[in-house]
Amino acid sequence: MKLSSQTIEALAQLLDDCAVQAHDTLKITDAHPDMDWDDAYAVQDAMRRRQLQRGARMVGFKAGLTSHAKMRQMGVDTPVFGYLLDSFSVPDGGACKVEELIHPKVEPEIAFVTKHELKGPGCHLGSVLAATDFVIPAIEVIDSRYRDFKFDLKSVVADNTSAARFVVGGQPMAAGGVDLRTVGVVLEKNGEPVAFGAGAAVLSHPAAAVAMLANHLSAHGETIPAGSLILSGGITEAVAVKAGDNVTLRVQGMGSTGMRFI
Ligand code: OOG
Ligand code: MG
């Protein structure tokens, strides 16, 4: 660790305030170029503690930058991990208020819901499939707190990997009932298809992202509890949205989910 605990708390407060007030800021590595990975996750953890103290509840976790399309879009080369709160959840078909966000983008994802605890180290695709209750289509709304979505990996980790909102819906499927590598996804904005892909875009199999998450958490002494919702990462590039937009995700054999931006 390179940063003092006061600096970590101050950065967590800065990013938390940006999220609450829908204000952007410069990426934090500009002012703290020597911060390391532990510092980045420590800022994320401090922000999570602040939000939980205000009454939010954990509902699960997310993996991000798990596909080449996303890594290319953001100019980075490793996955990152964050947490999901109940306050991020939008009902299927519901409305997402743009005024609460800075510059939202949507991503098509496969969500996993667990029925058993998942624990690293040594967690693998098989452990994830065995612990999965069901998989379900999900749209993640990301909203980097950094100006113009410009960041490096440590800054985005501190910012809870741009997590902002999500919606899940459609047909829940047993993980064994669908080939998550070949399953096709179509993201539509205002009725027009805007992004397409197949599950294998995410680390060859979306469950691999969940295994990486469990192994990552184990290094911090944390596990994925039963009943967690996990977003496995955008299959395509993220698509910008504004008030008035309607977004629908169709996943082959798994129905659709969507939200309106108001
Ligand atoms: C970081 C979060 C990326 C995903 O699914 O790849 C992410 C960002 O692009 O702002 O959630
Ligand atoms: Mg995502």
Side-chain angles (χ1 to χ4, degrees), residues 45-145:
D45 289 347
M47 186 161 72
R48 181 189 343 176
R49 277 196 302 276
R50 298 175 66 87
Q51 293 164 343
L52 294 178
Q53 269 160 15
R54 288 205 299 272
R57 287 164 192 267
M58 281 288 288
V59 295
F61 297 93
K62 62 167 282 189
L65 306 174
T66 48
S67 74
H68 289 295
K70 276 291 311 189
M71 289 189 216
R72 207 181 314 115
Q73 181 179 32
M74 303 323 298
V76 298
D77 60 4
T78 348
V80 290
F81 305 101
Y83 57 85
L84 299 176
L85 300 177
D86 56 350
S87 51
F88 299 176
S89 169
V90 176
D92 190 17
C96 179
K97 289 193 185 131
V98 169
E99 71 194 10
E100 295 174 358
L101 302 171
I102 304 162
H103 41 200
K105 295 183 187 180
V106 291
E107 307 180 313
E109 306 206 10
I110 302 291
F112 289 68
V113 174
T114 55
K115 59 183 171 192
H116 301 300
E117 183 185 52
L118 264 172
K119 223 183 191 153
C123 183
H124 53 79
L125 200 130
S127 356
V128 173
L129 295 180
T132 297
D133 194 354
F134 56 87
V135 290
I136 189 166
I139 299 172
E140 183 178 28
V141 181
I142 52 169
D143 191 39
S144 176
R145 269 55 70 169

Side-chain angles (χ1 to χ4, degrees), residues 9-260:
E9 285 301 326
L11 291 171
Q13 177 168 3
L14 167 74
L15 291 169
D16 187 25
D17 288 349
C18 283
V20 169
Q21 296 160 13
H23 280 162
D24 65 9
T25 186
L26 293 177
K27 67 179 193 302
I28 59 176
T29 47
D30 288 356
H32 302 280
D34 53 345
M35 68 185 273
D36 64 20
W37 286 102
D38 288 340
D39 292 318
Y41 278 104
V43 173
Q44 186 193 113
D45 289 347
M47 186 161 72
R48 181 189 343 176
R49 277 196 302 276
R50 298 175 66 87
Q51 293 164 343
L52 294 178
Q53 269 160 15
R54 288 205 299 272
R57 287 164 192 267
M58 281 288 288
V59 295
F61 297 93
K62 62 167 282 189
L65 306 174
T66 48
S67 74
H68 289 295
K70 276 291 311 189
M71 289 189 216
R72 207 181 314 115
Q73 181 179 32
M74 303 323 298
V76 298
D77 60 4
T78 348
V80 290
F81 305 101
Y83 57 85
L84 299 176
L85 300 177
D86 56 350
S87 51
F88 299 176
S89 169
V90 176
D92 190 17
C96 179
K97 289 193 185 131
V98 169
E99 71 194 10
E100 295 174 358
L101 302 171
I102 304 162
H103 41 200
K105 295 183 187 180
V106 291
E107 307 180 313
E109 306 206 10
I110 302 291
F112 289 68
V113 174
T114 55
K115 59 183 171 192
H116 301 300
E117 183 185 52
L118 264 172
K119 223 183 191 153
C123 183
H124 53 79
L125 200 130
S127 356
V128 173
L129 295 180
T132 297
D133 194 354
F134 56 87
V135 290
I136 189 166
I139 299 172
E140 183 178 28
V141 181
I142 52 169
D143 191 39
S144 176
R145 269 55 70 169
Y146 299 121
R147 195 150 306 158
D148 304 323
F149 258 91
K150 291 224 166 64
F151 51 68
D152 51 16
L153 280 173
K154 287 170 191 153
S155 295
V156 75
V157 161
D159 184 30
N160 192 24
T161 67
S162 311
R165 300 285 186 272
F166 66 84
V167 63
V168 297
Q171 178 64 56
M173 300 277 281
V178 50
D179 184 345
L180 288 174
R181 296 167 303 171
T182 54
V183 73
V185 308
V186 178
L187 184 70
E188 294 175 1
K189 186 164 95 170
N190 305 326
E192 301 268 335
V194 287
F196 321 86
V202 170
L203 297 171
S204 303
H205 193 301
V210 182
M212 276 186 89
L213 166 71
N215 292 327
H216 160 80
L217 289 173
S218 75
H220 300 247
E222 200 171 357
T223 63
I224 303 175
S228 296
L229 178 87
I230 300 144
L231 296 176
S232 54
I235 293 169
T236 70
E237 289 187 5
V239 175
V241 287
K242 56 179 180 356
D245 285 340
N246 260 292
V247 172
T248 303
L249 171 63
R250 301 183 193 284
V251 181
Q252 189 178 14
M254 295 172 68
S256 62
T257 185
M259 68 213 298
R260 295 173 285 123

